[in-house]
Amino acid sequence: MLASNDAMAFGAVEAFKELKKKMPLIVSINASKEAVDLIKAGDMLASGDYNGLVEGCIGTEVAIRTLRKQSVPKEVMAKTEVVDKTNYQAYETPAERRPCPTLESMAPK
């Protein structure tokens, strides 16, 4: 089951538990702390990382560079990571305490 966001997934998890029904594989978007907790517990399969950290950091850097009349790329492709049992550990740190990505870190390799 694909939920449009983590909050919808939480509702689905709660409903299936209340009804004592078999939990379907639930995937959502946001990779919030609560979703990471449910992934760890096995109640959700995964969540797509779309929490605004990358967009906020990169947008701020582009704005500062523009004000300083420095070059900025025409396009920046931010990859959405799928958070699941294999990689949730990095997402246990609250977004506000994670390092801010830079334009250089987003450059194609």
Side-chain angles (χ1 to χ4, degrees):
M1 178 180 119
L2 175 62
S4 295
N5 58 44
D6 286 347
M8 289 180 168
F10 305 154
V13 168
E14 187 176 312
F16 278 97
K17 283 184 175 184
E18 262 186 44
L19 295 171
K20 296 179 176 30
K21 297 279 186 176
K22 183 178 183 229
M23 190 80 66
L25 298 176
I26 299 175
V27 177
S28 65
I29 299 169
N30 292 121
S32 65
K33 180 199 176 315
E34 295 83 1
V36 171
D37 291 342
L38 288 173
I39 291 167
K40 284 174 23 181
D43 292 330
M44 277 180 56
L45 179 63
S47 184
D49 176 19
Y50 188 79
N51 61 27
L53 176 68
V54 172
E55 291 84 357
C57 292
I58 298 302
T60 300
E61 185 176 354
V62 166
I64 291 168
R65 285 184 178 200
T66 300
L67 290 171
R68 292 180 179 166
K69 301 198 184 317
Q70 298 172 330
S71 66
V72 294
K74 289 184 180 187
E75 182 178 80
V76 177
M77 296 297 289
K79 183 180 178 223
T80 299
E81 187 164 349
V82 175
V83 181
D84 62 18
K85 280 200 176 238
T86 67
N87 65 350
Y88 70 82
Q89 294 82 0
Y91 292 87
E92 291 185 297
T93 301
E96 62 273 8
R97 292 200 349 235
R98 294 180 202 156
C100 216
T102 63
L103 283 171
E104 283 75 28
S105 71
M106 303 291 294
K109 297 181 169 76

